Amino acid sequence: MPFTAKSGKFNASIKAVTLGSGDKATTIGGENVLPFYTFDAPIEHAPKVGIEVTDFGMEHEPDCVKKYYEGCTTAADMVKKAVTFEGVDFVSFRMEGGDPNGANKSTEELIATLKEVAEAAGDMPLVVSGSKNAERDAELLSKAAEAVQGKNAIILAAREENYKTVGAAAGLAYSQIVGAESSVDINLAKQLNVLLSQLGVNPSNIAMNVGSASAGYGYEYVASTMQRIKAAALSQNDAQLQMPIITPVASETWGTKEATATEVDVPEWGDVESRGIDMEVETAAADLACGSNAVILKHPVSVATVSKLIKELV
């Protein structure tokens, strides 16, 4: 008796969200199958890979990353070089210095740097991230949405504490894409999407960051959350969970002990650069397999490696 495989193609689909404009605009989402299930249906928009630069420029980067930006002095210089690296689909600029518990840079300084970065990126799609402090980001991301008006950028991210301010500025006033950030919980992710929709943000202009962690650091919660969200979006046709997912990987993986411990301290672990790349690639690959539609990385080798992986699987 012949075997007939059951199709994994769903009637529902993930919303397609386009970031950027012009020839280099790129689209995430749009699929109606589980991650990389191309044997059930074609995936028109393959997952995308971004490269991260922060307002600190070269200052806080590990030596193994700095060598790829030789001759650069500012964040804008780094972006000009970053867009030439293999596999880069978009640039992510993180305003790390805005953290009031850290450098606490002024809003004016950060927005001035953002404008320089946006100009340096040219037509390359842009993601703008905040300081990870919800109160400060309400101001920073609202100003950022205005500063990059016309770029069709993802403003990452609106959280439950500041979604009204960030969502209104990014999604309504300046026609950007709103990144909705929740804390590794399907119900919180859905609730934030509902709140943004009730605010007036078009669901087709929302991308989700449902939480992230480095592989080995409580990652199973991230994996299960992404999988549950994709299952609900596709098999249950839950419209409030059908937004594409974007996952910041760089800021998680390059702070782990595996990526930072010197070879003098742990010689048995081997080369520190290889360890950092491994952590980043492993985490990004897991995120993509669990349902992320875009990942943000730091090391150029990681970007090229994950980009090649995607091309082989889609």
Side-chain angles (χ1 to χ4, degrees):
M1 185 174 180
F3 170 74
T4 302
K6 183 179 179 180
S7 173
K9 178 180 177 181
F10 298 94
N11 292 325
S13 63
I14 304 300
K15 291 178 174 63
V17 173
T18 298
L19 57 149
S21 57
D23 294 339
K24 292 186 178 179
T26 192
T27 301
I28 57 175
E31 73 275 10
N32 64 342
V33 292
L34 294 173
F36 300 116
Y37 274 42
T38 52
F39 41 80
D40 283 326
I43 295 175
E44 183 179 356
H45 306 297
K48 301 300 187 292
V49 184
I51 191 163
E52 181 179 90
V53 173
T54 78
D55 60 281
F56 285 111
M58 299 278 276
E59 186 178 345
H60 291 174
E61 298 300 337
D63 290 340
C64 64
V65 172
K66 286 181 179 178
K67 67 183 181 181
Y68 288 88
Y69 293 95
E70 187 176 354
C72 297
T73 57
T74 67
D77 291 338
M78 292 178 69
V79 168
K80 287 179 182 178
K81 184 160 286 190
V83 298
T84 68
F85 294 146
E86 179 186 355
V88 174
D89 296 308
F90 62 91
V91 170
S92 176
F93 177 65
R94 183 160 60 94
M95 295 183 286
E96 182 182 6
D99 186 356
N101 298 311
N104 196 25
K105 292 184 180 181
S106 70
T107 299
E108 292 73 20
E109 179 183 357
L110 290 166
I111 297 303
T113 304
L114 169 59
K115 290 179 178 178
E116 293 173 357
V117 163
E119 183 177 355
D123 292 335
M124 185 68 74
L126 188 65
V127 172
V128 184
S129 301
S131 65
K132 296 187 177 181
N133 181 286
E135 184 177 353
R136 182 68 197 281
D137 285 350
E139 176 189 8
L140 272 179
L141 295 177
S142 297
K143 296 289 187 181
E146 179 182 8
V148 296
Q149 190 172 8
K151 286 282 188 180
N152 195 33
I154 295 180
I155 305 300
L156 192 68
R159 294 158 63 178
E160 187 174 2
E161 301 93 327
N162 63 19
Y163 79 91
K164 289 183 179 179
T165 304
V166 177
L172 301 179
Y174 300 110
S175 301
Q176 311 285 8
I177 301 161
V178 180
E181 180 180 343
S182 53
S183 300
V184 200
D185 184 290
I186 184 173
N187 296 313
L188 294 177
K190 181 173 180 176
Q191 177 183 339
L192 185 53
N193 290 339
V194 170
L195 291 172
L196 285 167
S197 299
Q198 290 175 344
L199 187 65
V201 178
N202 189 327
S204 296
N205 287 331
I206 298 174
M208 296 187 288
N209 170 16
V210 300
S212 57
S214 182
Y217 287 79
Y219 183 79
E220 62 272 19
Y221 295 103
V222 176
S224 62
T225 298
M226 284 191 190
Q227 290 169 340
R228 290 179 66 199
I229 287 173
K230 287 293 181 180
L234 295 174
S235 64
Q236 299 173 26
N237 195 18
D238 191 330
Q240 294 298 343
L241 289 171
Q242 289 173 344
M243 295 73 170
I245 296 173
I246 180 169
T247 309
V249 175
S251 57
E252 297 287 343
T253 56
W254 287 94
T256 63
K257 184 177 181 180
E258 290 82 354
T260 57
T262 68
E263 294 165 51
V264 174
D265 292 335
V266 279
E268 66 273 18
W269 285 5
D271 176 62
V272 64
E273 179 175 14
S274 297
R275 284 189 265 121
I277 293 170
D278 286 348
M279 287 294 290
E280 192 165 42
V281 170
E282 289 164 4
T283 303
D287 286 335
L288 294 169
C290 291
S292 186
N293 298 96
V295 289
I296 301 171
L297 310 180
K298 180 188 292 290
H299 200 291
V301 172
S302 302
V303 173
T305 302
V306 173
S307 179
K308 290 177 181 177
L309 171 68
I310 292 169
K311 289 175 182 176
E312 290 293 326
L313 292 175
V314 174

